[in-house]
Amino acid sequence: MAREFQRGHKAKISDLTPGTDLYVGVQIAAPGLTFDISCFGLDADEQLSDDRYFIFFNQPKSPEESIQLLGAQSGDTESFRVTLDRIPATIHKLSFTATLDGAGQMSQVGPGYIRIVAGGEEVVRYAFTGSEFTTERAVMLGDFYLKDVWRFAAVGQGFDGGLDALLKNFGGEVAEEEEAPAAPQAAPGFAPPAQATAPPAFGAPPAPVAPQPAPSFGAPPAPAPAPQQPMHAAPTIAAPLTPQAPPAPAPYGQPGHQPPPPPQPQFGQVPGQGVPPTPPYGQPAPAPYGQPAPAPYGQPAPFGQQPPGGPQGVPQGAPAAGAGLHAALQLYKETPTGQRWTPQNKQLMRVDLTMGGAGVLARQGSMVMYQGKVDFGYKGAGFVGRAVGNATGQEMQLMRCTGRGQVFLAEEGSYLHPIELQGDAICVSAESVLAFDESLQYEIRRVEGHGIPGGALFTMQFQGTGTVIIKTHGTPVVLPVTPTTFADCNAVVAWSAASQVIVSSQVRLRRNAYPGHSGETVNLQFRGAPGNFIVVQPYEV
């Protein structure tokens, strides 16, 4: 029986089927509209670094045929064959998309779906309707993505712009193919018509066409074929963005040769003085005395610094035609990935409430901005809040975020880290929790011990399927749990739920009788089987 996915649901392929030779079908339609259904093979940076893995009507298969475009069949508008164990190691994600070919909006589409079939049996289906979209002209339907193992995610995220904009978002370039001029045809000479060897019988039906065999890898049985409408008007060529090389200078002594201009003196240098020696090939030139060294080629200059002699306000490495305000802000533009939780940078997190369906619980006051129709409500204390108050003497103030839109979260410049749980559990210090999916189950755990400030250390244990966002001061370190693993109770951020926590006090009767002791009086000792871990930040609360 097929599993019904909602937007934002994810699962391991091995949990859906043991097979790796899969059929992917997409059904999408709207009156008077045509669609381009494609598959993008992306690298670890979610970029189309190899255009041979853009599978569409003009390129129906990848080089090793691990991804193949099969066409309309079995009631599907388009279908693919994906052989996961043949996909090269450079490909980390397969994104299946649908874009409008012509005028229209995604809000006009009727009920549709993307499904996975293994061995002729449907194992998962994600259904959608046009009411989930507005003015978008493209939609990212679902992803196969590699995260230690291959997984599937129901995305269902609209995208402004059509196939061209989607290609550019993934790092590709779109160019229209020019038509070759028609060669002049020679005038035909005199020739009698060819005599047929055997004239056809009057009123005889045309010869029957042999039916195409069904795919052997387990595609669903095909119903009666339906007439297809033409989907494309002009072929499209996709290629990665590559800079054009400048024209080669004319050889010395030939017409058009221009001698190189004399070097200009640096600031503070008298004209006519000796010019610094040219550095070895491939090495950067040294900076003049008292000026910062230039950044390596291809990397932006440090904030507030510009290369000597260049116009102020232009980022280093920016093309001359792309300088200005727009080019300067490109480094900080929003990062779209099609996921529910997306880090915008180390200190800012975006959650898309339209994906997943469930709401989000976040610390009160952690919202920095939002887009769309979002409701913010007070999360009452209830039983969990009272338990926190009894255990810690303070209550964790939460707000519930629901609706359709995107919310950006941050708090005091802390580093943010999303942790995705898929049925497992983790313990996180309550002070280190920023936000989490409301679908997660959470409870309060108390670590008691003499010498701990307040008499106890309180933590929150999260379990289920969803994401929790933790915050740290600086970059944390993850260490395995060994029989001799100790951590300061004020520096530990999180640990695996299966670990055993024991309070280890270093207080001695005569320790405080003289000055100069270390001050590290209370530690936590962690014990557990191999595979357990702790997360420590370079900061003490």
Side-chain angles (χ1 to χ4, degrees):
M1 181 177 180
R3 292 177 55 180
E4 296 289 341
F5 270 29
Q6 301 296 325
R7 179 187 294 182
H9 282 188
K10 306 174 184 178
K12 298 179 181 178
I13 297 296
S14 57
D15 293 341
L16 303 174
T17 174
T20 58
D21 199 356
L22 306 175
Y23 171 98
V24 179
V26 175
Q27 205 282 328
I28 185 171
L33 301 182
T34 56
F35 297 86
D36 296 330
I37 301 174
S38 313
C39 176
F40 290 84
L42 309 177
D43 57 19
D45 296 327
E46 298 189 359
Q47 294 294 302
L48 184 66
S49 55
D50 190 343
D51 62 302
R52 298 176 301 171
Y53 289 89
F54 173 38
I55 308 303
F56 66 122
F57 57 90
N58 240 11
Q59 185 168 256
K61 60 183 179 180
S62 60
E64 72 290 327
E65 299 186 358
S66 61
I67 315 167
Q68 302 179 43
L69 186 69
L70 303 180
Q73 58 176 308
S74 304
D76 298 330
T77 310
E78 190 61 89
S79 61
F80 299 83
R81 181 179 184 178
V82 177
T83 310
L84 294 177
D85 51 7
R86 296 179 59 187
I87 295 177
T90 56
I91 303 299
H92 288 246
K93 176 182 284 190
L94 304 179
S95 182
F96 294 91
T97 65
T99 57
L100 280 166
D101 185 13
Q105 299 176 355
M106 282 297 172
S107 58
Q108 301 174 248
V109 303
Y113 61 79
I114 180 174
R115 62 173 177 167
I116 301 176
V117 178
E121 179 182 356
E122 184 176 319
V123 296
V124 66
R125 175 187 290 244
Y126 162 52
F128 57 87
T129 62
S131 61
E132 302 178 24
F133 313 108
T134 54
T135 60
E136 299 92 335
R137 293 180 42 78
V139 59
M140 292 178 279
L141 300 173
D143 293 342
F144 286 107
Y145 65 100
L146 186 61
K147 186 178 180 181
D148 60 56
V149 294
W150 281 104
R151 306 166 188 259
F152 174 74
V155 179
Q157 181 180 4
F159 191 91
D160 292 336
L163 182 61
D164 296 0
L166 199 59
L167 259 173
K168 294 178 181 178
N169 176 69
F170 288 135
E173 183 182 36
V174 178
E176 295 297 330
E177 192 176 76
E178 298 182 358
E179 296 184 0
Q185 298 182 0
F190 173 79
Q195 179 66 30
T197 55
F202 178 79
V209 179
Q212 296 293 331
S216 59
F217 68 96
Q228 301 183 25
Q229 299 179 355
M231 298 180 61
H232 315 288
T236 305
I237 298 177
L241 293 172
T242 54
Q244 296 183 357
Y252 181 78
Q254 298 294 330
H257 172 75
Q258 296 292 337
Q264 298 295 328
Q266 299 289 343
F267 179 77
Q269 180 182 359
V270 180
Q273 288 185 349
V275 180
T278 302
Y281 178 77
Q283 299 293 330
Y289 179 77
Q291 299 186 16
Y297 177 78
Q299 299 185 10
F303 184 77
Q305 297 183 10
Q306 299 297 337
Q312 295 299 317
V314 180
Q316 183 179 5
L325 179 61
H326 180 73
L329 297 180
Q330 282 298 311
L331 297 174
Y332 314 107
K333 66 178 182 179
E334 183 181 0
T335 305
T337 62
Q339 303 294 334
R340 177 173 170 85
W341 295 90
T342 305
Q344 299 301 299
N345 51 53
K346 293 181 180 181
Q347 298 160 304
L348 185 64
M349 184 69 60
R350 185 194 71 189
V351 55
D352 191 343
L353 299 177
T354 60
M355 303 178 62
V360 169
L361 296 179
R363 283 185 174 271
Q364 291 185 9
S366 60
M367 184 275 293
V368 297
M369 70 162 291
Y370 70 93
Q371 297 173 322
K373 297 181 179 179
V374 181
D375 296 326
F376 299 92
Y378 174 72
K379 176 65 171 64
F383 174 78
V384 174
R386 289 193 297 271
V388 172
N390 294 332
T392 66
Q394 58 181 331
E395 180 181 339
M396 184 177 179
Q397 302 292 332
L398 296 174
M399 62 180 179
R400 177 183 285 110
C401 309
T402 57
R404 296 181 61 83
Q406 298 82 35
V407 181
F408 294 78
L409 303 171
E411 187 173 79
E412 297 180 351
S414 299
Y415 283 27
L416 305 181
H417 313 273
I419 299 179
E420 181 181 351
L421 301 180
Q422 294 190 351
D424 41 2
I426 188 174
C427 292
V428 184
S429 172
E431 291 294 331
S432 301
V433 178
L434 177 71
F436 54 92
D437 286 323
E438 196 172 13
S439 58
L440 288 174
Q441 302 173 3
Y442 60 98
E443 62 179 356
I444 305 302
R445 297 187 64 179
R446 180 186 179 99
V447 180
E448 299 182 354
H450 298 288
I452 298 181
L457 174 68
F458 61 98
T459 64
M460 300 183 69
Q461 177 175 319
F462 295 89
Q463 187 172 9
T465 302
T467 301
V468 56
I469 308 299
I470 67 173
K471 56 189 184 74
T472 64
H473 294 271
T475 303
V477 61
V478 181
L479 299 173
V481 172
T482 66
T484 57
T485 298
F486 297 84
D488 190 293
C489 63
N490 292 320
V492 65
V493 175
W495 61 85
S496 51
S499 300
Q500 180 185 7
V501 185
I502 303 173
V503 177
S504 174
S505 177
Q506 299 292 333
V507 176
R508 300 290 189 270
L509 292 178
R510 299 180 59 187
R511 174 63 60 90
N512 295 326
Y514 57 91
H517 64 87
S518 64
E520 302 293 343
T521 58
V522 180
N523 296 325
L524 297 179
Q525 182 179 6
F526 293 86
R527 298 177 181 176
N532 288 279
F533 61 89
I534 63 171
V535 182
V536 180
Q537 63 185 354
Y539 179 86
E540 290 191 359
V541 179

